[in-house]
């Protein structure tokens, strides 16, 4: 039973002679060690809070300031201009000697001076990080102003920052002007509307800007002065937590394992090593030993607020809204590579203590019985309140929801090494996105899947954080698993197995016939949703960003123009296109939308398809690519459209006023939803000497019922991995057909931009050697 106690510190019986008290020394020892670990954790946390609190200065700088002030006193000079004497006059201690009072007053003055210096340095750093003109400068050409700015950022950034050191110095997300947002919006929808439709929308926008918009804007400006970020809390609440539909397929996303190699074919061994790596990451996270994320190739820090909820987080459903439960677990005490010690309730099974490969197999047999009780439907909140709010069900459910993360030991095998590698990748993607619909815990911050043949993958919930945060921990885990922990010749984890390790505990459930009926109904809804998803995943190896950059074009802009061309060829029209961009240059920033379908991109596509001369098409392409890059930079620096309009809409609902303009804007479908998955920790992987160790990236389900979801990832200089999703139920969409259109568009664009450049990269240098899975 999940609620059974394995041991107690005190056992007693009542006898005629009194109470017979027996002490368990082993249990008392464990209590003592647990307390020691807890205090170590508190001390580390206090230490980190102090270091981050005084950043960009250091605690030792306080001593330097004190010594400097005391030294000036002995030279009979007064740097305080009489303040030390004023402090001495008002000291409440009269028993001290005059000399002692002078020293105490000098220390107090030094401390105040030190704090003032910290405040000034932090304010200067915040102002420096608010400068974004560097992002709009031509690539490779840095202005003198930007060079001076970079030097000042380095000076004010201090030395050896912790993970959260920059949080207090990050600027707040600015609220764009209403007229700017409306102007950009109208420009973004022009290629999607005919003249009559555009005129009607222009009239709605003009009326909104001149009347209701200013009133709503006032509330947003007030919020921006009070809150750290005027968008993020409402975005999390209304986009993710108040949604009533299933998050499986519709919200959750996935990440894949290495594409060409599986480190071990033994499922339990792979799970053991990777779980070990996850907890190594969590220990680094809790100790703030991870380096702050930065814009690649720069000293510019990114917000790390989302990292706080990576582990021990779950969605707790309610009838009106969901709330996120996150808890901090003491640092796990990791032993050798074949086993680990995990704190109570920090894993799937309650009080799961050190375990080995054989115990993971035992645990797998328990888990298969648990999975069938996972509800995936809009009725989860009511079912939870009715069937899982008390007794053994509540205790078992609490154990899962408070876990560090969820692990699935899947009985399927997935790989790209079959007869049809493309079909294998498609099945692999669908399995990671939804599995069998009852063998993933979609409400957890993330679930890790280990397949029967040792392949792995990750499924992540979206409300608590965005994909780059999950990708960071996933990259770390893959690298540590393969390059640090490793396996022996038989494929088992390295290290000796401790035979005294206790067995994992089984979670118990009491499922009534009524509850079982609800589960069956929920499974039917989930199964229909999963069956409707059409996936196509492929690795494009004909060329990569290396040749794209030789054309003096942004790789991201190149892909986005290829997607516009492919969609036009596929559907014969243009559509509202979503590309995810981050706003983590600002405190608590999350994402913004880049509207990739522009007047410039549609003009280019129509010219190319209309048979215009190549030089005209090249000129139009470069104009479209430059416009896309400008929009991307605007989104990153707070000048986006959609989050501002979203927040204005939220304010209008709070005020109970109706805006026809905002109603139309917020109801427009994103028929092409795209996202780039960058490799963030390139130092962990050797793309040249070990190119077989590359991930295939990740993907997500379609946003619109009649649209596509496209995720892409540049690997090294020669590979582009793409994940395409849509729905079978829409007769106008086909993932494989769209994938073929994207391939053709990529080749056509490269031929247009560089007709003399050889396209094919299918050589030993361009294509990683495909090594057979172990």
């Amino acid at each position: 039973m999940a609620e059974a106690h394995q041991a107690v510190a005190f056992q007693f019986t009542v006898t005629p002679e009194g109470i017979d008290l027996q002490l368990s020394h082993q249990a008392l020892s464990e209590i003592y060690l647990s307390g020691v670990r807890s205090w170590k954790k508190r001390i580390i946390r206090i230490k980190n809070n102090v270091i981050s609190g005084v950043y960009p200065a250091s605690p030792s700088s306080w001593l330097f300031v004190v010594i400097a002030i005391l030294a000036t006193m002995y030279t009979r000079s007064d740097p305080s201009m009489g303040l030390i004497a004023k402090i001495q006059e008002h000291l409440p201690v009269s028993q001290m000697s005059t000399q002692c009072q002078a020293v105490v007053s000098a220390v107090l003055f030094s401390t105040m001076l030190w704090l003032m210096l910290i405040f000034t340095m932090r304010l200067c750093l915040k102002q420096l990080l608010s400068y974004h003109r560097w992002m709009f400068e031509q690539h490779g050409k840095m202005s003198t102003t930007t060079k001076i700015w970079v030097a000042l950022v380095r000076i004010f950034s201090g030395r050896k920052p912790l993970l959260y050191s920059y949080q207090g110095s990050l600027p707040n997300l600015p609220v764009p002007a209403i007229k700017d947002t409306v102007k950009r919006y109208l420009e973004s929808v022009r290629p999607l509307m005919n003249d009559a439709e555009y005129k009607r929308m222009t009239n709605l926008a003009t009326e909104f800007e001149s009347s209701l918009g200013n009133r709503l804007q006032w509330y947003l400006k007030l919020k921006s002065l009070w809150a750290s970020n005027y968008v993020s809390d409402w975005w999390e609440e209304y986009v993710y937590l108040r949604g009533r539909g299933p998050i499986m397929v519709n919200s959750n996303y996935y990440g894949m394992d290495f594409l060409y190699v599986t480190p071990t074919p033994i499922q339990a061994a792979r799970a053991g090593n990777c779980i070990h790596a996850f907890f190594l990451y969590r220990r680094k996270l809790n100790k703030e030993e991870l380096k702050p994320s930065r814009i690649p190739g720069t000293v510019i820090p990114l917000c790390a607020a989302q990292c706080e909820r990576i582990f021990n987080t779950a969605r707790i459903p309610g009838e009106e809204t969901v709330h996120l439960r996150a808890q901090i677990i003491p640092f796990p005490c990791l032993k050798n590579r074949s086993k680990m010690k995990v704190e109570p309730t920090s894993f799937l099974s309650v009080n799961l203590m050190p375990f080995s490969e054989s115990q993971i197999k035992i645990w797998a047999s328990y888990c298969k019985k648990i999975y069938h009780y996972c509800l995936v439907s809009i009725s989860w909140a009511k079912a939870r309140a009715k069937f899982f709010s008390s007794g053994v069900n509540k205790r078992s459910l609490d154990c899962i929801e408070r876990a560090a993360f969820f692990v699935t030991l899947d009985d399927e095998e997935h790989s790209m090494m079959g007869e049809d590698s493309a079909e294998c990748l498609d099945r692999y993607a669908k399995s990671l996105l939804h599995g069998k619909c009852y063998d993933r815990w979609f409400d957890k911050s993330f679930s890790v899947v280990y397949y029967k043949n040792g392949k792995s993958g990750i499924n992540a919930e979206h409300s608590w954080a965005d994909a780059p945060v999950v990708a960071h921990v996933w990259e770390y885990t893959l690298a540590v698993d393969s390059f640090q922990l490793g396996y022996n010749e038989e494929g088992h984890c390295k290290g000796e197995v401790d035979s005294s390790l206790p067995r994992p505990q089984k979670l118990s459930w009491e499922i009534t016939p009524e509850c079982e009926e609800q589960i069956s109904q929920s499974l039917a809804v989930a199964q229909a949703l999963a069956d409707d998803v059409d996936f196509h995943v492929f690795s494009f190896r004909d060329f990569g960003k290396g040749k794209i950059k030789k054309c003096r074009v942004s790789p991201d802009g190149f892909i986005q123009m290829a997607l516009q061309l492919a969609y036009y060829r596929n559907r014969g029209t243009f559509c509202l296109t979503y590309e995810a961009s981050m706003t983590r240059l600002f405190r608590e920033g999350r994402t913004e939308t880049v509207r990739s379908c522009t007047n410039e991109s549609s003009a280019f596509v129509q010219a190319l398809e209309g048979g215009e001369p190549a030089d005209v098409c090249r000129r139009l392409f470069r104009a479209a690519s430059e416009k896309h890059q400008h929009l991307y930079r605007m989104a990153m620096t707070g000048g986006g459209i959609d989050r501002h309009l979203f927040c204005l809409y939220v304010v209008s609902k709070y005020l109970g006023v109706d805006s026809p303009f905002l109603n139309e804007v917020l109801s427009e479908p994103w028929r092409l939803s795209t996202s780039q998955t960058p490799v963030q920790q390139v130092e962990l992987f050797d793309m040249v000497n070990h190119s077989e160790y590359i991930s295939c990236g990740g993907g997500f389900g379609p946003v619109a019922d009649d649209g596509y979801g496209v995720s892409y990832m540049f690997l090294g200089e020669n590979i582009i991995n793409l994940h395409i999703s849509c729905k079978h139920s829409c007769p106008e969409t086909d993932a494989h057909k769209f994938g073929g259109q994207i391939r053709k568009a990529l080749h056509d664009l490269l031929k247009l931009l560089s007709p003399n450049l050889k396209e094919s990269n299918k050589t030993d240098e361009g294509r990683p050697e495909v090594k057979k899975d172990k």
Side-chain angles (χ1 to χ4, degrees):
M1 295 291 289
E3 70 276 19
H5 296 282
Q6 290 280 10
V8 292
F10 299 97
Q11 298 177 354
F12 64 91
T13 57
V14 179
T15 65
E17 289 79 18
I19 295 178
D20 178 19
L21 189 66
Q22 300 176 1
L23 295 177
S24 169
H25 294 288
Q26 181 180 0
L28 287 175
S29 176
E30 286 298 322
I31 291 174
Y32 169 75
L33 293 175
S34 178
V36 170
R37 288 194 297 270
S38 180
W39 277 105
K40 284 183 178 178
K41 169 193 163 187
R42 293 178 188 177
I43 291 171
I44 291 173
R45 196 165 280 158
I46 291 172
K47 170 192 163 188
N48 289 341
N49 287 340
V50 170
I51 294 174
S52 297
V54 302
Y55 194 83
S58 63
S60 59
S61 62
W62 173 82
L63 185 61
F64 174 80
V65 174
V66 170
I67 293 174
I69 295 298
L70 290 174
T72 59
M73 292 180 61
Y74 284 102
T75 60
R76 298 186 182 278
S77 59
D78 186 7
S80 70
M81 295 181 291
L83 286 177
I84 293 178
K86 288 286 186 182
I87 294 173
Q88 187 173 347
E89 289 178 8
H90 294 85
L91 281 178
V93 181
S94 57
Q95 292 82 3
M96 285 186 182
S97 64
T98 304
Q99 187 173 5
C100 286
Q101 290 181 11
V103 171
V104 171
S105 301
V107 170
L108 290 175
F109 171 77
S110 302
T111 302
M112 290 188 292
L113 177 62
W114 178 66
L115 292 175
M116 187 180 299
L117 290 172
I118 290 172
F119 176 79
T120 303
M121 291 179 67
R122 182 170 288 186
L123 185 63
C124 290
L125 182 58
K126 189 170 186 176
Q127 291 301 314
L128 287 170
L129 294 179
S130 300
Y131 172 83
H132 297 129
R133 200 191 311 171
W134 61 274
M135 193 176 292
F136 295 88
E137 293 178 350
Q138 188 175 350
H139 183 69
K141 295 184 179 180
M142 187 182 295
S143 66
T144 303
T145 302
T146 300
K147 289 179 181 178
I148 296 172
W149 170 77
V150 169
L152 290 174
V153 170
R154 292 183 184 276
I155 292 172
F156 283 94
S157 289
R159 297 175 63 248
K160 296 180 180 179
L162 298 176
L163 176 62
Y164 301 118
S165 291
Y166 286 105
Q167 291 302 104
S169 301
L170 291 173
N172 290 0
L173 182 68
V175 181
I178 282 280
K179 64 176 182 178
D180 293 338
T181 296
V182 170
K183 179 182 176 181
R184 291 169 191 154
Y185 169 78
L186 290 174
E187 185 181 355
S188 73
V189 297
R190 184 64 187 95
L192 310 176
M193 298 179 176
N194 58 37
D195 292 343
E197 292 171 336
Y198 184 70
K199 183 178 180 180
R200 186 183 67 85
M201 181 56 74
T202 301
N203 291 335
L204 288 176
T206 302
E207 181 184 357
F208 171 78
E209 179 185 342
S210 61
S211 56
L212 180 60
N214 291 323
R215 180 184 174 193
L216 303 180
Q217 180 81 345
W218 184 86
Y219 283 95
L220 280 191
K221 287 184 176 180
L222 182 64
K223 184 186 179 186
S224 69
L225 295 174
W226 177 254
S228 300
N229 190 296
Y230 82 94
V231 174
S232 293
D233 59 337
W234 285 352
W235 184 253
E236 179 179 299
E237 176 73 15
Y238 294 106
V239 172
Y240 294 117
L241 301 184
R242 284 187 180 266
R244 300 289 81 194
I247 60 174
M248 184 193 81
V249 174
N250 295 327
S251 179
N252 285 31
Y253 53 94
Y254 66 86
M256 285 185 169
D257 197 359
F258 295 125
L259 185 58
Y260 296 106
V261 66
T262 304
T264 177
I266 302 174
Q267 182 186 43
R270 189 78 194 280
N273 257 14
C274 289
I275 293 169
H276 182 99
F278 273 116
F279 280 103
L280 285 174
Y281 186 95
R282 189 177 75 163
R283 183 166 64 180
K284 284 180 172 288
L285 178 65
N286 287 343
K287 290 184 176 182
E288 298 185 38
E289 293 175 350
L290 296 170
K291 294 180 180 179
S293 296
R294 302 177 188 271
I295 296 287
T298 73
V299 296
I300 312 306
L302 300 176
C303 180
Q306 296 177 50
C307 297
E308 296 173 347
R309 299 188 292 188
I310 294 178
F311 297 97
N312 306 99
T313 298
R315 289 168 58 101
I316 309 301
E319 293 196 20
E320 291 186 3
T321 185
V322 174
H323 73 272
L324 291 175
R325 175 193 285 170
Q327 67 177 123
I328 305 300
I329 296 294
F331 309 137
C333 175
L334 301 177
K335 295 188 176 181
N336 67 34
R337 298 176 185 175
S338 65
K339 54 193 175 293
M340 72 191 76
K341 184 173 183 178
V342 182
E343 296 295 327
T345 73
S346 65
F347 205 64
L348 174 64
S349 212
V350 68
N351 291 332
L352 181 64
M353 299 304 283
F355 59 91
S356 62
E357 291 179 32
S358 61
Q359 289 174 310
I360 289 181
K361 293 175 182 177
I362 297 172
W363 173 51
S365 66
Y366 292 165
C367 290
K368 288 177 182 178
K369 299 177 182 178
I370 296 172
Y371 296 151
H372 293 277
Y373 304 140
C374 175
L375 297 177
V376 187
S377 80
I378 56 175
S379 58
W380 177 206
K382 294 181 179 179
R384 174 192 174 90
K386 188 170 184 179
F387 303 116
F388 296 88
S389 60
S390 62
V392 62
N393 286 354
K394 183 181 186 302
R395 288 189 288 270
S396 295
L397 184 61
D398 281 347
C399 176
I400 296 174
E401 291 178 337
R402 295 177 186 275
F405 50 92
F406 191 85
V407 172
T408 293
L409 298 174
D410 204 304
D411 55 7
E412 293 183 350
E413 294 187 2
H414 284 283
S415 175
M416 70 158 291
M417 306 306 294
E419 295 181 0
D420 187 345
S421 59
E423 186 178 342
C424 290
L425 280 176
D426 298 347
R427 290 197 300 266
Y428 183 20
K430 279 180 66 68
S431 176
L432 288 176
L433 185 65
H434 55 67
K436 298 183 184 71
C437 301
Y438 55 76
D439 54 355
R440 313 283 188 263
W441 204 276
F442 299 102
D443 282 342
K444 287 299 294 179
S445 54
F446 65 92
S447 300
V448 194
V449 184
Y450 298 101
Y451 293 103
K452 189 177 179 180
N453 62 339
K455 213 69 180 173
S456 69
I458 190 170
N459 180 289
E461 198 274 314
H462 213 322
S463 61
W464 63 275
D466 302 307
V469 177
V470 176
H472 195 276
V473 62
W474 185 236
E475 289 173 1
Y476 176 91
T477 301
L478 290 178
V480 169
D481 167 41
S482 299
F483 308 135
Q484 295 184 28
L485 301 180
Y487 303 88
N488 61 25
E489 295 181 356
E490 291 77 26
H492 295 285
C493 299
K494 296 178 181 179
E496 299 297 325
V497 176
D498 186 350
S499 58
S500 66
L501 296 178
R503 292 163 61 91
Q505 290 187 7
K506 176 182 176 182
L507 298 181
S508 298
W509 307 86
E510 294 177 356
I511 306 299
T512 64
E514 185 182 0
C515 179
E516 192 167 349
E517 175 62 25
Q518 179 65 67
I519 292 172
S520 298
Q521 294 175 8
S522 299
L523 179 59
V525 172
Q527 193 65 60
L529 181 61
D531 292 343
D532 196 23
V533 177
D534 180 21
F535 247 105
H536 181 43
V537 181
F538 65 95
S539 185
F540 183 83
R541 297 187 292 266
D542 294 352
F543 62 87
K545 68 178 181 181
K547 285 190 176 179
I548 295 173
K549 289 188 291 187
K550 287 181 181 178
C551 299
R552 293 179 297 174
V553 175
S554 156
D556 185 69
F558 186 93
I559 290 287
Q560 287 294 327
M561 293 308 107
L563 292 176
Q564 290 298 313
L565 178 59
Y567 188 89
Y568 186 81
R569 288 171 172 174
N570 184 256
R571 302 287 290 272
T573 185
F574 298 106
C575 72
L576 196 61
T577 305
Y578 183 111
E579 182 187 5
S581 169
M582 60 128 184
T583 56
R584 291 172 64 199
L585 288 169
F586 304 96
R587 189 170 184 178
E588 297 181 16
R590 291 201 58 166
T591 61
E592 179 57 275
T593 304
V594 181
R595 295 182 167 224
S596 301
C597 181
T598 61
N599 291 321
E600 291 79 2
S601 68
S602 58
F604 158 69
V605 170
Q606 288 173 333
L608 186 65
E609 292 300 279
E612 294 289 334
D615 58 338
V616 174
C617 293
R618 276 193 290 270
R619 176 175 54 81
L620 292 173
F621 174 87
R622 295 194 181 280
S625 178
E626 290 171 6
K627 180 58 179 288
H628 175 266
Q629 285 300 102
H630 177 76
L631 292 177
Y632 201 99
R633 292 162 180 155
M634 289 293 292
M636 287 184 64
T637 55
I641 300 170
D642 290 275
R643 300 302 177 268
H644 185 203
L645 292 174
F646 162 78
C647 288
L648 291 170
Y649 179 79
V650 173
V651 174
S652 73
K653 292 303 178 184
Y654 276 127
L655 296 179
V657 295
D658 188 66
S659 168
F661 171 70
L662 292 177
N663 289 340
E664 288 210 24
V665 170
L666 272 294
S667 63
E668 293 170 340
W670 300 97
R671 291 191 172 89
L672 185 56
S673 180
T674 71
S675 178
Q676 181 186 168
T677 307
V679 179
Q680 300 179 79
Q681 303 172 88
V682 292
E683 70 278 3
L684 296 180
F685 304 95
D686 187 347
M687 295 292 186
V688 177
N689 299 318
H690 296 284
S691 54
E692 69 274 17
Y693 284 93
I694 56 175
S695 169
C696 198
F700 49 88
V703 173
D705 290 339
D706 59 346
Y708 291 102
V710 181
S711 174
Y712 52 94
M713 183 180 194
F714 295 99
L715 287 171
E717 298 294 302
N718 304 310
I719 300 175
I720 308 172
N721 286 335
L722 293 106
H723 301 244
I724 305 166
S725 65
C726 63
K727 291 191 175 183
H728 289 295
S729 57
C730 178
E732 298 178 345
T733 58
D734 185 304
H736 288 76
K737 182 179 178 181
F738 191 50
Q741 294 284 13
I742 293 174
R743 285 189 185 92
K744 186 176 186 305
L746 290 171
H747 282 289
D748 289 348
L749 291 188
L750 185 67
K751 184 178 179 180
L752 172 70
L753 296 178
S754 188
N756 298 321
L757 190 64
K758 185 180 178 183
E759 286 190 31
S760 179
N761 236 11
K762 295 178 181 177
T763 63
D764 291 338
E765 179 184 0
R767 178 177 177 176
E769 178 186 357
V770 178
K771 297 188 176 181
K772 206 168 185 181
D773 286 352
K774 296 179 181 177

